[in-house]
């Protein structure tokens, strides 16, 4: 009976001290911490030399600290520490300062943490912890629908998986020239870049994805994605079959007159020969014997003369 009364008094006293601490903590400054998921975080209290018999109580809640996650107190000269199942194997307490270490913290552990140190007097500390997933590395791609006759040399697109408080930016050298974000975490972040011809190979462009605790970057390969001759090259390649066909066609057109002209020339020659008229011309040549007889004019015989006929065109 007496033991039950003493237990109830102790519980009532603890509740009164906790109520006092809550009222005192209402005006305390909140320490804000931002960490990457999977790391270890320590909530430093700034308190030194906590009495060995003090009760240390840590509370947690996503928006308001209401759940008791750790309770360390001295009972019959022995320190007893109780940890909630939600944070089992994750919490470690420093009883000298009241600091709380959280191992392998996750985004589910974001929220408000409240410390109460209960001794002859009460003191409190409040922490607001925000845990983020590390950002993904952005990817730079060449836009497929880019026109080869565009006035810009190229228009690369930077894309990254979206997340809480993630932003996507383009930097030229060390100067940020554009930035975007989207509260709809179901769609990726995309950010395009317009590069003029005169910018090719003269500037360094970097795409950066970032949240409050991490960032990743990718550099633009101008030679690969932004060669100002690439559009002309692609257009030349697309016109190459047409040019070859046109060349073959022109070659055939030129070859046909060359092949037909000699034939036509020969035909004209034959026609011209057919139009010729012929005249018979006779002349008589003396024979060898006739020459000898010629020395004797008195002995001339017409039968000894040879006759030739020659045709000539008129």
């Amino acid at each position: 009976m007496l033991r039950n009364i003493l237990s109830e008094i102790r519980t009532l006293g603890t509740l009164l001290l906790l109520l006092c601490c809550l009222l005192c903590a209402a005006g305390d400054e909140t320490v804000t911490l931002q960490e990457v998921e999977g790391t270890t975080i320590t909530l430093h209290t700034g308190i030194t030399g906590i009495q060995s018999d003090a009760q240390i109580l840590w509370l947690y809640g996503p928006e308001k600290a209401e759940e008791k996650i750790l309770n360390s107190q001295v009972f019959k000269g022995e320190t007893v520490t109780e940890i909630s199942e939600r944070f089992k194997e994750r919490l470690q307490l420093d009883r000298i300062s009241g600091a709380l270490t959280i191992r392998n913290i996750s985004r589910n552990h974001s929220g408000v943490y409240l410390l109460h140190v209960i001794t002859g007097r009460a003191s409190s500390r409040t922490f607001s912890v925000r845990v983020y997933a590390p950002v993904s590395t952005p990817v730079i791609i060449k836009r497929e629908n880019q026109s080869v006759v565009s006035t810009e040399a190229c228009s690369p697109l930077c894309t990254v998986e979206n997340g809480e408080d993630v932003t996507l930016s383009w930097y030229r050298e060390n100067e940020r020239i554009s930035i975007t974000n989207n509260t709809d975490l179901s769609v990726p972040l995309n950010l395009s870049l317009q590069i003029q011809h005169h910018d090719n190979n003269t500037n360094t462009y970097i795409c950066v994805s970032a949240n409050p605790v991490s960032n990743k970057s990718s550099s633009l390969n101008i030679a690969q994605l932004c060669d100002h001759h690439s559009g002309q090259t692609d257009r030349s390649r697309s016109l190459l079959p047409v040019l070859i066909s046109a060349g073959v066609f022109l070659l055939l057109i030129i070859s046909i007159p060359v092949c037909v002209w000699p034939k036509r020339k020969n035909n004209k020659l034959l026609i011209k020969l057919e139009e010729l008229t012929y005249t018979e011309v006779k002349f008589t040549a003396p024979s060898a014997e006739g020459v000898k007889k010629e020395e004797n004019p008195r002995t001339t015989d017409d039968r000894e003369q040879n006759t030739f006929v020659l045709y000539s065109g008129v």
Side-chain angles (χ1 to χ4, degrees):
M1 182 71 178
L2 181 59
R3 181 179 298 178
N4 292 337
I5 294 175
L6 292 175
S7 178
E8 291 177 0
I9 293 175
R10 184 184 304 169
T11 302
L12 181 60
T14 301
L15 291 175
L16 290 175
L17 288 173
L18 180 58
L19 178 60
C20 180
C21 291
L22 290 173
L23 294 175
C24 295
D28 288 347
E29 181 180 356
T30 301
V31 178
T32 301
L33 298 175
Q34 297 173 328
E35 292 294 334
V36 180
E37 187 177 29
T39 59
T40 297
I41 179 176
T42 299
L43 308 181
H44 297 283
T45 64
I47 301 173
T48 58
I50 294 179
Q51 296 180 12
S52 58
D53 60 345
Q55 180 182 0
I56 300 176
L57 183 64
W58 276 98
L59 304 174
Y60 162 78
E63 297 180 359
K64 185 177 180 181
E66 297 176 335
E67 176 188 354
K68 183 172 65 174
I69 60 173
L70 185 145
N71 183 21
S72 180
Q73 57 185 330
V74 178
F75 184 71
K76 295 182 179 181
E78 183 179 352
T79 302
V80 179
T81 302
E82 300 175 350
I83 300 176
S84 69
E85 288 295 327
R86 181 175 183 176
F87 288 87
K88 203 73 173 178
E89 308 298 333
R90 292 179 184 269
L91 302 183
Q92 181 178 346
L93 177 68
D94 181 358
R95 279 194 57 86
I96 297 177
S97 64
L100 181 67
T101 298
I102 309 172
R103 295 185 294 269
N104 192 25
I105 195 168
S106 72
R107 282 177 290 176
N108 293 331
H109 300 145
S110 294
V112 180
Y113 291 80
L114 178 61
L115 165 68
H116 293 305
V117 179
I118 304 170
T119 56
R121 62 185 183 87
S123 59
S124 301
R125 295 289 186 276
T126 304
F127 299 84
S128 176
V129 178
R130 195 75 173 271
V131 182
Y132 295 91
V135 293
S136 303
T137 302
V139 177
I140 302 174
I141 59 177
K142 186 175 182 179
R143 301 178 69 175
E144 295 297 333
N145 60 347
Q146 180 183 341
S147 173
V148 295
V149 296
S150 175
T151 56
E152 283 77 21
C154 72
S155 180
L157 181 71
C158 186
T159 181
V160 72
E161 181 182 354
N162 200 3
E164 189 176 9
D165 294 339
V166 172
T167 61
L168 190 63
S169 306
W170 273 109
Y171 284 82
R172 180 174 54 217
E173 304 297 339
N174 295 323
E175 176 190 4
R176 184 165 67 186
I177 56 178
S178 60
I179 185 173
T180 187
N181 64 348
N182 192 344
T183 56
D184 185 359
L185 305 184
S186 63
V187 296
L189 286 179
N190 296 317
L191 185 61
S192 62
L193 175 67
Q194 300 293 331
I195 300 180
Q196 302 296 332
H197 288 293
H198 58 78
D199 288 336
N200 285 2
N201 302 318
T202 60
N203 292 303
T204 300
Y205 293 92
I206 300 175
C207 183
V208 179
S209 59
N211 62 16
V213 295
S214 64
N215 64 79
K216 296 287 182 62
S217 64
S218 295
S219 298
L220 172 63
N221 189 333
I222 295 182
Q224 180 179 1
L225 295 180
C226 292
D227 183 4
H228 65 281
H229 296 296
S230 61
Q232 298 176 1
T233 302
D234 295 340
R235 181 168 54 183
S236 300
R237 289 177 179 175
S238 63
L239 293 177
L240 184 59
V242 178
L243 294 176
I244 292 176
S245 301
V248 173
F249 181 73
L250 290 176
L251 183 60
L252 291 175
I253 293 177
I254 295 173
S255 301
I256 290 174
V258 174
C259 297
V260 174
W261 181 77
K263 184 175 180 180
R264 289 184 176 178
K265 184 178 181 181
N266 292 336
N267 291 339
K268 289 181 178 180
L269 180 60
L270 292 176
I271 294 172
K272 196 167 185 179
L273 290 175
E274 290 177 356
E275 294 176 353
L276 292 177
T277 59
Y278 297 91
T279 302
E280 183 177 332
V281 179
K282 294 183 179 181
F283 66 91
T284 303
S287 63
E289 295 180 356
V291 173
K292 291 181 181 181
K293 292 180 179 182
E294 195 177 41
E295 295 176 358
N296 190 0
R298 290 174 298 178
T299 58
T300 303
D301 190 351
D302 293 339
R303 291 177 298 178
E304 295 178 356
Q305 295 179 351
N306 297 325
T307 301
F308 298 89
V309 179
L310 176 65
Y311 293 93
S312 62
V314 178

